[in-house]
Amino acid sequence: MQKPVVTRFAPSPTGTLHIGGARTALFNWLYARHTGGKFLLRIEDTDRERSRQEHVDAILNSLKWLELDWHAEPLFQFARADRHREVARQLLAEGKAYNCYLTAADLEAMRGAIDAERALAKEEKRPPRGPQTIQSPWRDRDPEEAPAGVRPAIRLRAPREGETIVEDKVAGRVVVQNTQLDDMIIVRSDGAPTYNFAGVVDDHDMGVTHVIRGADHLNNASRQTQVYLACGWDVPVLAHVPLIHGPDGAKLSKRHGAQGTDEYRAMGYLPVALRNYLVRLGWSHGNDEIMSTEQMIEWFELDGIGKSAARFDFAKLADLNGHYIRKSSPAEIKARLQDALPEMENGVATKAALDRVGWGRLDAILPALMERAKTLKDIPAGAAFLIASRPLKLDDKAEKLLDADAKATLKALAAEFATAATWDAPTLDVIIRAHAEQAGKKLGQIAQPLRAALTGSTVSPPVGEMMVALGREEALARIADQAV
């Protein structure tokens, strides 16, 4: 009987959730959902100097924001050190590992000799002679000869002949000659389990059946495979996903723009849009670009992962985000905006101002703002007129537009607006169009002065909707300010 699929995401809490890590989590989450399996979370916090609780919190919050839920409580690797040492002692007892008494100075000297031989071989244009990996003399040495006062590390007794084969769902078959691999340390002399060893023990104990991770871990796969085989455990299905590059083809870095998932939240991206964009970075389902989360779950298979690095396209993400903003309901976008504003640039002040004037003002204008927005940040930018103080500060174009003729138009319109039976966009639009027709002017000659008077700018949402958002009293007051 085939085991139920169990995937995992195992971030190190040494920083916030990188966008590449978010994609890895998404792929694991999708495959678990696709197969009806489980998606687990492990916090690899063994780097005690760099691991921080605030980073753990930030990673968990980013995953929650992306709406990637996990089964069971997160497992913390550092707390399992005793279990890792227990497995190492079992390997020692079975002769599959050994105590190594090489000191730091010994190791430095051995590495120096290897480097020197490589340099000489390159100069003489010949293959290097001798072993090119650390070959501990303690592999076959009598433990009775152990030096006094030296605490040993524990090394895996890896095979010296033959090859280690990694069957990868993305990279294909990877063959490594065992002569190229040293007897890796599984427990350091201070008793700390090593990363490659601890991860294998944890994956086994968690019942992980599929390890989906970045291609930068492929180099670890052969060593970890040796640990699985030494322990007599099944090797999980491996899938190493090519890394994400910037638009220039170089590895994605700070110089390309935002890296942390929290930065995308603060820039006004929706989780559904980021999920849709990330799934298409390195995975495909035909030519489908826009897909619901339900479709992603239905379609996601490991054989859809490409072999080449994907390039991050910020413009494409913004376009996709705009699509999802337009597809959302105003109520949802309003709730998202209220939640995300404090994290945006100048967002705290904007939220305080909207709290003061009332978020209800936004309701009338929100659908129009959503039509134009590519990120949530575009909405408060487009609604800035709602919280502007009187008298408005006019930009250069608005000030130039409001000449004597425009002011006369505003004065006449103000009188007509004051008699409006109802204060709604259709009624106000009828008044504006009728005035333009009566005055023998184009609609823009009437609407533009109004726009400038109401917002201080010549660019805004539709005038009628904008006046409804401001309310009768505020809209008439702003028109009156500029009609003198």
Side-chain angles (χ1 to χ4, degrees):
M1 183 177 176
Q2 190 174 9
K3 292 182 180 178
V5 166
V6 178
T7 66
R8 52 75 163 172
F9 177 53
S12 298
T14 55
T16 57
L17 181 61
H18 188 276
I19 200 68
R23 183 189 63 168
T24 298
L26 175 63
F27 280 13
N28 279 278
W29 183 85
L30 286 173
Y31 192 66
R33 293 298 182 278
H34 172 75
T35 57
K38 292 183 178 180
F39 169 61
L40 303 178
L41 185 61
R42 180 170 74 239
I43 305 298
E44 297 195 332
D45 57 345
T46 51
D47 185 344
R48 304 309 291 172
E49 291 185 5
R50 299 175 60 212
S51 295
R52 296 286 185 273
Q53 183 59 44
E54 58 264 32
H55 294 151
V56 174
D57 295 339
I59 290 169
L60 296 182
N61 288 336
S62 290
L63 290 173
K64 290 175 183 176
W65 175 73
L66 278 170
E67 299 166 356
L68 304 181
D69 54 336
W70 53 91
H71 295 82
E73 289 297 312
L75 183 146
F76 287 82
Q77 191 170 69
F78 181 74
R80 288 177 45 80
D82 285 345
R83 167 59 177 162
H84 305 146
R85 287 188 284 265
E86 174 192 346
V87 176
R89 286 193 295 269
Q90 182 63 34
L91 291 174
L92 275 174
E94 295 173 357
K96 297 175 180 177
Y98 61 93
N99 286 319
C100 175
Y101 294 88
L102 289 174
T103 64
D106 293 334
L107 290 169
E108 185 177 354
M110 294 174 77
R111 291 192 187 100
I114 291 172
D115 291 342
E117 169 55 25
R118 286 176 178 166
L120 182 60
K122 184 177 181 180
E123 183 180 337
E124 296 178 352
K125 298 181 180 179
R126 60 169 173 79
R129 299 191 184 100
Q132 295 302 299
T133 58
I134 299 296
Q135 302 286 346
S136 173
W138 291 99
R139 176 182 172 110
D140 301 309
R141 197 166 172 179
D142 189 343
E144 295 294 328
E145 301 177 29
V150 177
R151 295 183 62 181
I154 301 177
R155 287 183 181 269
L156 184 72
R157 193 184 297 275
R160 287 277 176 86
E161 298 178 353
E163 55 195 22
T164 297
I165 298 173
V166 175
E167 299 287 359
D168 192 83
K169 286 291 186 179
V170 180
R173 169 171 279 210
V174 179
V175 179
V176 179
Q177 299 301 313
N178 289 332
T179 54
Q180 299 176 15
L181 301 173
D182 59 12
D183 292 346
M184 80 170 193
I185 295 175
I186 57 176
V187 177
R188 298 185 182 92
S189 59
D190 62 359
T194 58
Y195 168 81
N196 278 326
F197 180 64
V200 168
V201 176
D202 290 342
D203 280 342
H204 170 75
D205 288 358
M206 293 168 72
V208 172
T209 61
H210 292 69
V211 173
I212 306 167
R213 58 189 180 183
D216 50 334
H217 290 281
L218 185 57
N219 287 337
N220 299 327
S222 55
R223 296 179 181 278
Q224 292 177 331
T225 295
Q226 289 185 341
V227 174
Y228 278 108
L229 297 177
C231 293
W233 297 336
D234 292 336
V235 180
V237 176
L238 300 175
H240 288 86
V241 184
L243 302 182
I244 300 174
H245 287 179
D248 59 357
K251 185 178 177 181
L252 192 66
S253 65
K254 289 182 179 179
R255 66 186 177 86
H256 293 114
Q259 286 186 290
T261 307
D262 55 331
E263 295 178 76
Y264 290 87
R265 173 183 166 94
M267 288 191 296
Y269 290 98
L270 300 179
V272 63
L274 195 55
R275 288 198 305 271
N276 191 161
Y277 184 70
L278 287 178
V279 79
R280 290 290 291 112
L281 283 180
W283 177 86
S284 63
H285 181 267
N287 295 320
D288 293 296
E289 292 288 342
I290 296 175
M291 57 190 80
S292 67
T293 301
E294 291 73 23
Q295 287 173 321
M296 294 183 212
I297 292 172
E298 179 185 351
W299 296 339
F300 192 85
E301 291 281 3
L302 298 182
D303 57 12
I305 299 174
K307 296 180 182 294
S308 302
R311 294 197 181 194
F312 201 102
D313 186 331
F314 289 90
K316 194 170 184 179
L317 172 59
D319 287 341
L320 190 62
N321 199 63
H323 163 81
Y324 280 104
I325 288 177
R326 293 188 296 275
K327 190 178 177 182
S328 302
S329 69
E332 180 184 353
I333 293 301
K334 184 177 177 181
R336 292 278 186 193
L337 187 61
Q338 288 173 320
D339 187 46
L341 256 181
E343 300 175 26
M344 297 180 182
E345 187 178 0
N346 301 320
V348 173
T350 301
K351 186 177 185 300
L354 283 169
D355 289 341
R356 185 180 68 251
V357 302
W359 280 82
R361 275 195 178 185
L362 189 62
D363 293 341
I365 205 69
L366 187 54
L369 294 175
M370 288 168 57
E371 283 298 314
R372 304 179 181 188
K374 288 194 173 182
T375 70
L376 291 180
K377 287 179 68 174
D378 294 334
I379 292 174
F385 70 92
L386 287 176
I387 57 177
S389 301
R390 294 177 45 222
L392 295 184
K393 181 180 179 181
L394 306 181
D395 65 24
D396 291 342
K397 289 184 178 180
E399 192 166 0
K400 185 177 180 180
L401 182 67
L402 292 177
D403 55 17
D405 183 56
K407 289 178 182 291
T409 297
L410 291 176
K411 189 172 183 179
L413 277 169
E416 295 179 40
F417 288 141
T419 63
T422 56
W423 196 261
D424 56 43
T427 300
L428 297 172
D429 287 341
V430 166
I431 293 173
I432 294 170
R433 290 179 184 278
H435 186 91
E437 186 176 345
Q438 185 178 1
K441 294 182 178 181
K442 294 180 179 179
L443 185 61
Q445 292 176 289
I446 305 300
Q448 279 297 78
L450 264 176
R451 183 172 280 113
L454 293 166
T455 69
S457 171
T458 56
V459 179
S460 78
V463 172
E465 294 174 10
M466 188 167 53
M467 293 176 69
V468 174
L470 286 169
R472 183 189 294 262
E473 182 180 348
E474 179 68 15
L476 290 176
R478 291 189 183 193
I479 294 171
D481 286 344
Q482 305 303 329
V484 295

